[in-house]
Amino acid sequence: MTANLLDFDLEGLAAYCESLGEKRFRATQLFRWIHQRGASDFSQMSDLAKSLRGKLEAAARIEGLPVISQHESADGTIKWLFDVGASNAVEAVFIPEDDRGTLCVSSQAGCAVGCRFCSTGHQGFARNLTTGEIVAQLWFAEHFLRKHLGTSDRVISNVVMMGMGEPLQNYGALVPALRTMLDDHGYGLSRRRVTVSTSGVVPMMDRLGQDCPVALAVSLHAPTDPLRDPLVPLNRKYPLDELMQACKRYLAHAPRDFITFEYCMLDGVNDQPEHARALIALVRQQGVSCKFNLIPFNPFPASGLTRSPQKQVQAFANLLSEAGIVTTVRKTRGDDIDAACGQLAGDVMDRTRVQDRIAQQRTVMLTPVPAGPVAKEGLR
Ligand code: SAH
Ligand code: SF4
């Protein structure tokens, strides 16, 4: 089996070049060809010595993911479905805005956390993506978009790890992918323009702060443990108090930053004024420097939940803002192509019992008994 060079960050590629008996600095040239120019063919790499090209042709490849489908929304949002084998698929979404181009990237086929309101969670977990499969989404999208828009300039300025999967349950593959995004010889994205979104895998938040302190978004969705437990099952393992402490530790690695708390607005569940007041108390008491991003829930039948009315969302946002917390309401984009949060539902083959667990949680939610099975981190 040849090595797929999309699997390497620059350091990894330098080690790989050494293993071929080449100088480490060759890796920089190669890395630039792959990520900055979108090359997939070694014969294109005219400034690499012929002998090196020959070695690479024999031992390596640059292989993206097969595209199953592409949908473009009326608002310019583009969604791709990629084949990751064994009947599994993952999605990436490009969201153009006036001042930026954001790519929403998947980290796993499915997800083992099993959040009640998330269709990826409802599908269960198939497997972690490799570094190459995470990077391939950006590699493909960036170079496709340059051609599509007829430009040689960079199109994607921001990456959010908010597609399918829990990135911090795929830590080993995530970090080299992030490094490739940040590397000046790769995509050259600034640390604050790459966001990892997590449901709250506390130990891995600490490691990310040390290894690669990019922007952090935390999916909060509830101000108290009894409400968060059934919505985000991982809360039973890492309850709110521990999560808030981890947020503070994270910010110690990223001074002048803030945590973005994501909060999915569920009608009659977590969208009442008392929930807003409890949230204000929570972040004040813990002293976490933060912003709130309220996400209108994207409903799907199996969830048994509905979207909060817009008036309710606005009233909730006002309460937070009046308390001095910067609060935004996420615009829904790409609704016509199902490209919105939590609807990234490329089929996966569940290799765990997540779906059973969710069915049980649903019972717990309907009959408010604080019981139910605890999500195991990194189930596979
Ligand atoms: N696993 C990570 C990142 C992927 S989910 C996490 O949970 O943070 C990205 C965001 O979409 C999260 O904030 C998640 O809570 C939100 N989300 C999931 N399902 C949703 C839905 N149906 N409607 C609105 N937001 C949803
Ligand atoms: Fe997984 Fe995030 Fe969906 Fe929860 S919201 S099931 S952590 S992808």
Side-chain angles (χ1 to χ4, degrees):
M1 190 64 177
T2 55
N4 186 357
L5 301 190
L6 293 183
D7 274 318
F8 297 127
D9 60 11
L10 184 53
E11 188 54 39
L13 194 60
Y16 180 72
C17 283
E18 259 181 340
S19 77
L20 294 180
E22 294 286 334
K23 295 267 186 304
R24 288 173 69 89
F25 76 87
R26 292 281 175 218
T28 307
Q29 272 172 298
L30 190 51
F31 203 68
R32 292 172 70 101
W33 269 109
I34 299 169
H35 298 291
Q36 297 191 343
R37 305 188 61 172
S40 57
D41 188 346
F42 299 114
S43 63
Q44 280 172 274
M45 304 181 180
S46 44
D47 59 352
L48 285 192
K50 260 218 169 100
S51 59
L52 172 57
R53 275 189 266 159
K55 281 188 206 168
L56 289 170
E57 260 150 30
R61 69 191 197 284
I62 302 161
E63 189 179 25
L65 290 169
V67 177
I68 298 171
S69 64
Q70 170 179 321
H71 295 281
E72 186 161 359
S73 156
D75 66 16
T77 301
I78 303 180
K79 178 174 86 167
W80 294 279
L81 187 63
F82 295 101
D83 186 354
V84 293
S87 300
N88 296 316
V90 299
E91 290 177 331
V93 179
F94 173 66
I95 306 148
E97 287 175 278
D98 292 344
D99 59 342
R100 69 183 74 178
T102 303
L103 189 72
C104 178
V105 171
S106 294
S107 56
Q108 298 180 312
C111 182
V113 178
C115 297
R116 174 74 203 287
F117 49 84
C118 173
S119 67
T120 303
H122 276 247
Q123 291 174 54
F125 177 73
R127 69 168 175 87
N128 279 326
L129 299 189
T130 61
T131 297
E133 289 168 332
I134 297 172
V135 169
Q137 297 168 62
L138 174 59
W139 180 72
F140 171 82
E142 174 65 32
H143 297 290
F144 168 85
L145 288 165
R146 284 188 201 176
K147 278 193 214 106
H148 188 61
L149 302 172
T151 176
S152 54
D153 295 341
R154 186 168 75 183
V155 179
I156 294 167
S157 59
N158 295 60
V159 169
V160 293
M161 297 302 304
M162 293 185 186
M164 298 170 72
E166 169 48 58
L168 294 188
Q169 285 189 337
N170 185 12
Y171 192 79
L174 175 73
V175 169
L178 296 176
R179 292 198 168 127
T180 299
M181 296 172 194
L182 301 182
D183 203 302
D184 283 342
H185 300 293
Y187 297 87
L189 301 181
S190 83
R191 191 178 66 73
R192 289 192 174 84
R193 286 173 175 268
V194 175
T195 301
V196 168
S197 176
T198 181
S199 55
V201 190
V202 164
M204 295 300 149
M205 289 166 66
D206 284 327
R207 284 188 57 189
L208 188 68
Q210 284 157 17
D211 294 340
C212 195
V214 293
L216 189 67
V218 172
S219 295
L220 203 55
H221 310 309
T224 61
D225 288 325
L227 188 54
R228 196 167 187 265
D229 281 350
L231 290 174
V232 183
L234 198 63
N235 195 67
R236 299 202 183 94
K237 191 161 184 184
Y238 305 114
L240 279 171
D241 185 49
E242 282 183 39
L243 181 57
M244 292 294 148
Q245 298 300 331
C247 289
K248 278 199 282 192
R249 290 194 297 273
Y250 194 87
L251 292 176
H253 295 286
R256 290 181 290 116
D257 278 18
F258 52 84
I259 304 288
T260 301
F261 287 125
E262 293 162 280
Y263 197 94
C264 180
M265 299 293 287
L266 305 165
D267 190 21
V269 175
N270 65 355
D271 65 346
Q272 300 300 303
E274 77 240 31
H275 298 124
R277 284 192 284 271
L279 278 178
I280 295 163
L282 179 75
V283 298
R284 280 207 180 131
Q285 180 196 339
Q286 301 275 357
V288 179
S289 167
C290 65
K291 290 186 182 174
F292 267 82
N293 190 214
L294 305 182
I295 315 175
F297 171 56
N298 289 298
F300 57 100
S303 69
L305 298 162
T306 49
R307 181 186 281 191
S308 305
Q310 214 193 327
K311 251 175 68 187
Q312 191 73 16
V313 177
Q314 203 48 57
F316 199 92
N318 291 346
L319 283 173
L320 295 177
S321 302
E322 282 156 18
I325 302 170
V326 175
T327 303
T328 49
V329 178
R330 184 172 301 169
K331 278 189 279 182
T332 50
R333 297 286 304 265
D335 267 0
D336 52 336
I337 56 166
D338 275 358
C341 276
Q343 293 197 338
L344 304 186
D347 286 336
V348 302
M349 302 275 286
D350 186 14
R351 314 237 185 268
T352 66
R353 288 171 43 81
V354 176
Q355 289 183 349
D356 297 351
R357 240 175 30 218
I358 289 185
Q360 287 182 27
Q361 273 165 33
R362 195 151 42 232
T363 324
V364 174
M365 285 286 287
L366 297 174
T367 52
V369 182
V374 176
K376 287 208 183 59
E377 191 190 328
L379 256 182
R380 48 203 70 124

